[in-house]
Amino acid sequence: MTVAQEFEAANEKYAATFNEGGLPMPPARKVLVVACMDARVDPAKELGLSKGDAHVVRNAGGRGIAAIRDIVISQQLLGTREIVVIHHTDCGMLTFKDHELHAKVKSDLGENADHIAWLSFSDLEKSVAEDVVALKKNPLVLDVPITGYVFDVNTGKLTKVEA
Amino acid sequence: MTVAQEFEAANEKYAATFNEGGLPMPPARKVLVVACMDARVDPAKELGLSKGDAHVVRNAGGRGIAAIRDIVISQQLLGTREIVVIHHTDCGMLTFKDHELHAKVKSDLGENADHIAWLSFSDLEKSVAEDVVALKKNPLVLDVPITGYVFDVNTGKLTKVEA
């Protein structure tokens, strides 16, 4: 049995009592959140989001600099006017260097992925600040409030990072 | 008051009763989900995910082809061995063509973003199938089960797409 089949069974139960239809497309709270794909991260719960509140982008590390496509679409077409970037403790991106994964892809897959910037990092506060500063400087991103945080996967706490 | 400040207040309440610490970094169910950043989408609820279960990537449209960096990191470093791609009804990506947003960025921001593929689409089933096929063909992606779905934001139901 695939996990996809388990998802189908879980979704049947979910849909049976679903009552959150009819919400508009643009996020009600006009905010876009960038967070990590990590399995221990759940932005809706951590930030108190209701359905329809916010765009939630998730990628490896929660890298804002990897979310430019998403941010431009969100701001230009769907009216968001604030960005929140969240990285987290015990992140997989802290466990390797970009050149190591490039080498692993070559040795294990026989492929060259040198064109992909993995955007690994070695310091959480620095990576958050780097993302916030880069978004503030990016001419494709509107001049809106951009705030960065570290989420602690063991305590559930958000800590603000000054950029 | 920024939305970020509202998030800080909501997070204080969340952290006060948090008891899901200590989970391992690799996803327990060895699966990566790609879904849309849309505010009406909440993969954890729709798929019955518990904390620690799955990598959840979210981007504009839920495009698998925009998640190669995330998928390689997930598979090569954190052991996931299945992919699920979910697009959804009433998606913003259905409302524009790539060339229109390129033109809007030029006229409204005075910037050239022609290097960014927005990956808009006009047919939901086709966009899901296109993503599944593209991932299956990508030599950087392992030969694992890849399943595609459309999520209906008004009924909460997942419908499988044959690729």
Side-chain angles (χ1 to χ4, degrees), chain A residues 22-102:
Chain A
L23 294 171
M25 187 188 295
R29 296 171 74 181
K30 296 184 187 298
V31 63
L32 176 143
V33 176
V34 186
C36 187
M37 67 179 179
D38 191 283
R40 300 160 297 177
V41 167
D42 188 339
K45 287 186 186 167
E46 293 151 16
L47 307 175
L49 297 175
S50 297
K51 276 239 177 183
D53 270 355
H55 277 154
V56 179
V57 175
R58 296 179 63 184
N59 62 38
R63 298 309 310 251
I65 53 176
I68 300 301
R69 168 180 163 270
D70 314 293
I71 290 169
V72 174
I73 290 171
S74 177
Q75 293 186 334
Q76 295 299 317
L77 302 177
L78 291 158
T80 63
R81 290 296 180 266
E82 182 168 344
I83 300 172
V84 170
V85 175
I86 307 174
H87 297 183
H88 66 92
T89 59
D90 198 38
C91 185
M93 304 300 284
L94 292 160
T95 66
F96 72 100
K97 304 288 180 203
D98 274 27
H99 71 87
E100 293 166 351
L101 183 50
H102 284 132

Side-chain angles (χ1 to χ4, degrees), chain B residues 60-72:
Chain B
R63 299 308 313 252
I65 53 177
I68 300 300
R69 168 182 165 269
D70 313 294
I71 290 169
V72 174

Side-chain angles (χ1 to χ4, degrees), chain A residues 1-8 10-12 14-16 18 20-33 36-42 44-63 66 68-74 76-78 82-84 86 90-93 95-96 101 104-105 108-109 111-113 115-120 139-142 145 147 149 151-160, chain B residues 1-8 10-12 14-16 18 20-33 36-42 44-63 66 68-74 76-78 82-84 86 90-93 95-96 101 104-105 108-109 111-113 115-120 139-142 145 147 149 151-160:
Chain A
M1 195 177 186
T2 59
V3 181
Q5 289 170 301
E6 297 171 1
F7 286 169
E8 289 173 27
N11 178 260
E12 258 190 62
Y14 174 72
F18 183 85
E20 293 169 304
L23 294 171
M25 187 188 295
R29 296 171 74 181
K30 296 184 187 298
V31 63
L32 176 143
V33 176
C36 187
M37 67 179 179
D38 191 283
R40 300 160 297 177
V41 167
D42 188 339
K45 287 186 186 167
E46 293 151 16
L47 307 175
L49 297 175
S50 297
K51 276 239 177 183
D53 270 355
H55 277 154
V56 179
V57 175
R58 296 179 63 184
N59 62 38
R63 298 309 310 251
I68 300 301
R69 168 180 163 270
D70 314 293
I71 290 169
V72 174
I73 290 171
S74 177
Q76 295 299 317
L77 302 177
L78 291 158
E82 182 168 344
I83 300 172
V84 170
I86 307 174
D90 198 38
C91 185
M93 304 300 284
T95 66
F96 72 100
L101 183 50
K104 181 171 168 45
V105 167
D108 292 8
L109 300 180
E111 296 291 332
N112 187 322
H115 57 290
I116 302 178
W118 306 115
L119 305 174
S120 63
L140 295 174
V141 177
L142 296 175
T147 315
Y149 296 93
F151 174 72
D152 187 320
V153 295
N154 286 318
T155 66
K157 278 188 195 169
L158 274 186
T159 304
K160 192 172 172 178
Chain B
M1 193 175 186
T2 59
V3 181
Q5 289 169 301
E6 297 170 3
F7 286 167
E8 290 173 26
N11 178 260
E12 257 191 62
Y14 174 72
F18 183 84
E20 294 170 302
L23 294 172
M25 187 190 294
R29 295 172 74 182
K30 298 184 186 299
V31 64
L32 176 144
V33 176
C36 187
M37 68 179 179
D38 190 283
R40 299 160 297 176
V41 167
D42 188 339
K45 287 187 186 165
E46 293 151 16
L47 307 177
L49 297 176
S50 296
K51 277 238 179 183
D53 271 356
H55 277 155
V56 179
V57 174
R58 296 180 62 183
N59 62 40
R63 299 308 313 252
I68 300 300
R69 168 182 165 269
D70 313 294
I71 290 169
V72 174
I73 290 171
S74 177
Q76 295 300 317
L77 302 177
L78 292 157
E82 184 169 343
I83 301 172
V84 170
I86 307 174
D90 198 38
C91 184
M93 303 300 284
T95 66
F96 72 100
L101 184 51
K104 182 169 167 45
V105 167
D108 292 9
L109 299 180
E111 296 291 333
N112 187 323
H115 58 290
I116 302 179
W118 306 117
L119 306 175
S120 64
L140 294 174
V141 177
L142 295 176
T147 315
Y149 295 92
F151 174 72
D152 187 322
V153 296
N154 286 319
T155 66
K157 279 189 195 170
L158 274 186
T159 303
K160 190 171 171 179

